[in-house]
Amino acid sequence: MKYILNLSLVALLLAVFSCDGNKTAGTLGASDEVETRVERILSEMTLAEKIGQMNQVSAGGDVAQYADALRKGQIGSILNEVDPAKINEFQRIAVEESRLGIPLLVGRDVIHGFHTVFPIPLGLAATFDPALVEEGARVAAIEATAQGVRWTFSPMLDIARDPRWGRIAEGSGEDPYLDARMAEAMVHGYQGREADSTSMAACIKHFVGYGAAEGGRDYNSTFLTERQLRNIYLPPFEAAVKAGAMTLMTSFNDNDGVPSTGNTFVVKDVLRGEWGFDGLVVTDWNSMGEMINHGFGEDRKDVAEKAVNAGVDMDMMTYGFLSHLEELVKSGAVKEKTINQAVRNILRVKVMLGLFDNPYVDVDAAAAVQYAPAHLASAQKTVEESAILLKNDGVLPLGKGLRILVTGPLADAPHDQLGTWAFDGEKAHTVTPLKALRERFPGQVDYVPGLRFSREKRSSFADVVAAARRADVVLAFLGEEAILSGEAHSLADLNLQGSQSELLAALKTAGKPVVAVVMAGRPLTIERDLPNVNGLLYSFHPGTMGGPALANLLFGDVNPSGKTPITFLRTVGQAPLYYSHNMTGRPYNGETLLEDIPLEAGQTSLGNTSYYLDYGAYPLFPFGYGLSYTSFAYSGIGLDKEAYKADETLRVNFTLTNTGAFDGTEVAQVYIRDLVGSITRPVKELKAFERVSLKAGESRTLTVDIPVQELAFVGLDGEKKVEAGEFLLWVAGDSASGEAIRFKVL
Ligand code: BGC
């Protein structure tokens, strides 16, 4: 280490530090020792070196190009380098050849696994299993940190209620409660419950509202009121901050005219002020520079000033801080105190990750942990819990000894089944359904792809139909190529692409049972395809181990238990449609549809409620929905009291019975509705869920505790509190089922 311990200097600076009034309780839980170390380093830095720490560059591949800037201390962090030898070289120059020897923070988008690719985050959410999701994030951290990546730009916590938005794939779907539980799980998994050399700092993103882009068009404006932010969009971020998330990324969107990277209200007031976040805030890729495109700043200097004064610590790829902060400090437009605070936030993360103690990785050991058998097993289990059974006329699970026709563009698409943001997953390691089925049933599998990729158009499927006639069962693997979802990949049409629906229609003519497996980055509008299949398993892009997991599900080794983390629409025109909408003044009550309307019907003869004449008011599948090979019955649903005080806890009791012939797992869900509020309230809100495994015929009585404070919301007076009154409560297997019981809050 190049800095020298100078106790009197430390004491002096600590005094200055406290005068700054900057020492907060700290959500990162840094020890006094960490803070002292941070202050000591800060005290030795020139203004230019401080500003250098606030600069992040995409340095993939090219150490030499950045060597000079590293020596001058002009780079605090790099992203997009994963070669452990090169990362060591970057670190060596930063540590050994710069004046203060401050190590780099090396970031990467490790979104759903590093080499071992897990299901896309929407698929992770479909497991409703935070413990398993935490395990997956741990696996990702172990693999990535072995190569020197100590910071991931994950989890994405954007609530998304419009499946046209391609980035819906990257989050947990539409519900704040489910999103918050997934957020905590991923933060704990990446960072580890105990900090060590496999801890990878999580970056919660994109702060905030990005998923509410108008029309589902990526990067578009959002118009969320403060109340919507506080009741729906902010809670998952707050939960992740409380779980100890070390970093946060500001989003691209402008909300009601204010781009997030310059949004003092959300970053400074809410995140720093109300929540006490003392982690690092980084911009999204050039989101500072894009404030010029937004027309929110004149030039790079202007947007750099706005961003740093809003509370941003690190600039990803705009070079606005590096080029202009010094000048802005000198002119007084930015206070040096603001810069000090930003640098503290950056150094704190570096110290806590242990980078000052050892920034290097063991290059020879890195390869051994990639694709480790335990990692592949964890990825496979996650797919098994994540796939959702949406239709089954009894065809599933399949018996043994069948002649199987495998068809469809996703049957053997090792790249596409990895999904979006799988930078480091290698398709050579992917096990496709075709591969898994051939290994499992040698000699029984015939493969006729029908379509080579999801967008392909074809007019005749004679070859596939002929093969189907020779088979006992047809397994059609359909969906979306990986490139059709993710960033900047929004779609206006959510039907199966290309001629996939025509393929299913043709297969039906062969007269053999057809089971479709859909692998996609979003909930597609598959209503028109359902009549053509006997069974349908929906797997969001499943990752490396999709093949064996899906085979286990289809053949009954594992019983499906995934549930929809997002409402499935009948048609794209229904978007956005989500279960937790507010009660309207004229709720739908099943009124006349298009085909029932008499000619020249009177203006008011159809009734006046909230629905579409052509598609009614309901989705294809509601939130929280998913079938099993067995069936479950809920009984004895009750509460321990009729009325609760605001500081008490609801105790929900119910009995769950496996009423079918298979062992299985149900995700029991508890929803509430606040009947009258100072503002209109959602018709239902998820407040708890639990995965319960039961043997065929088994019954279990369960208890779920929900603190009454979980019912709090920001009402008319702007305060977050539980409002007294009557509530409904459901315990059910999805958001559209169950009988409500009542309780009161006093
Ligand atoms: C995305 C972020 C990502 C960043 C770095 C941006 O385009 O919006 O989610 O973390 O790039 O790759």
Side-chain angles (χ1 to χ4, degrees), residues 192-216:
R193 297 268 176 174
E194 300 291 331
D196 64 20
S197 61
T198 67
S199 296
M200 176 163 68
C203 183
I204 52 179
K205 70 185 189 185
H206 305 85
F207 199 64
V208 60
Y210 182 43
E214 271 197 326

Side-chain angles (χ1 to χ4, degrees), residues 48-49 67-75 97-98:
E49 283 164 336
D68 193 42
L70 288 170
R71 288 186 193 108
K72 289 185 184 143
Q74 291 176 338
I75 299 175
E97 297 182 16
S98 74

Side-chain angles (χ1 to χ4, degrees), residues 472-722:
D472 298 316
V473 64
V474 178
L475 299 180
F477 293 89
L478 312 162
E480 291 181 305
E481 294 150 68
I483 192 66
L484 301 185
S485 61
E487 186 175 353
H489 301 156
S490 295
L491 286 172
D493 179 350
L494 300 184
N495 289 333
L496 284 168
Q497 293 284 329
S499 301
Q500 295 184 87
S501 291
E502 289 76 5
L503 170 61
L504 283 180
L507 283 168
K508 190 178 162 78
T509 65
K512 298 296 171 72
V514 177
V515 176
V517 177
V518 180
M519 299 189 205
R522 54 163 71 74
L524 295 169
T525 46
I526 50 169
E527 183 171 48
R528 64 178 180 167
D529 305 302
L530 289 175
N532 292 331
V533 300
N534 302 83
L536 190 139
L537 196 56
Y538 206 96
S539 164
F540 295 107
H541 287 130
T544 307
M545 296 303 284
L550 292 167
N552 278 348
L553 289 163
L554 292 168
F555 287 87
D557 305 84
V558 180
N559 193 343
S561 59
K563 298 275 189 171
T564 54
I566 179 91
T567 302
F568 274 58
L569 307 182
R570 296 181 56 203
T571 178
V572 70
Q574 293 179 301
L577 181 65
Y578 48 93
Y579 84 93
S580 192
H581 60 86
N582 281 2
M583 191 47 121
T584 76
R586 293 187 175 188
Y588 181 60
N589 60 4
E591 282 163 331
T592 323
L593 291 175
L594 216 50
E595 55 276 21
D596 308 318
I597 303 174
L599 289 179
E600 300 193 359
Q603 166 75 28
T604 55
S605 62
L606 308 181
N608 293 302
T609 69
S610 178
Y611 76 114
Y612 294 107
L613 291 179
D614 48 357
Y615 278 87
Y618 302 123
L620 182 60
F621 299 111
F623 174 85
Y625 180 83
L627 300 168
S628 163
Y629 296 150
T630 190
S631 49
F632 295 97
Y634 289 81
S635 60
I637 298 167
L639 285 161
D640 61 332
K641 292 173 46 160
E642 280 169 19
Y644 297 85
K645 297 197 197 101
D647 59 355
E648 292 184 324
T649 293
L650 303 169
R651 173 147 288 195
V652 188
N653 301 304
F654 62 98
T655 300
L656 186 63
T657 306
N658 179 340
T659 50
F662 294 85
D663 299 350
T665 300
E666 167 73 324
V667 179
Q669 301 155 47
V670 183
Y671 295 89
I672 64 102
R673 176 164 154 209
D674 188 348
L675 282 170
V676 180
S678 63
I679 55 169
T680 56
R681 306 288 299 127
V683 294
K684 274 189 184 179
E685 290 176 274
L686 182 67
K687 290 294 171 190
F689 58 82
E690 200 165 314
R691 286 178 63 88
V692 187
S693 296
L694 295 174
K695 301 259 173 239
E698 188 185 347
S699 261
R700 194 175 309 154
T701 298
L702 295 137
T703 299
V704 175
D705 286 339
I706 303 173
V708 175
Q709 279 309 313
E710 285 285 323
L711 314 179
F713 64 98
V714 176
L716 203 55
D717 60 5
E719 295 293 313
K720 183 166 186 180
K721 59 173 185 277
V722 187

Side-chain angles (χ1 to χ4, degrees), residues 79 109 153 167 205-206 249 252 284-285 316 421 487:
L79 73 158
D109 290 279
F153 306 117
R167 302 199 81 167
K205 70 185 189 185
H206 305 85
M249 184 185 289
F252 287 127
D284 201 342
W285 183 286
M316 182 191 284
W421 288 107
E487 186 175 353

Side-chain angles (χ1 to χ4, degrees), residues 394-405:
V395 65
L396 293 171
L398 297 169
K400 317 276 143 116
L402 303 171
R403 281 166 304 161
I404 305 160
L405 170 65

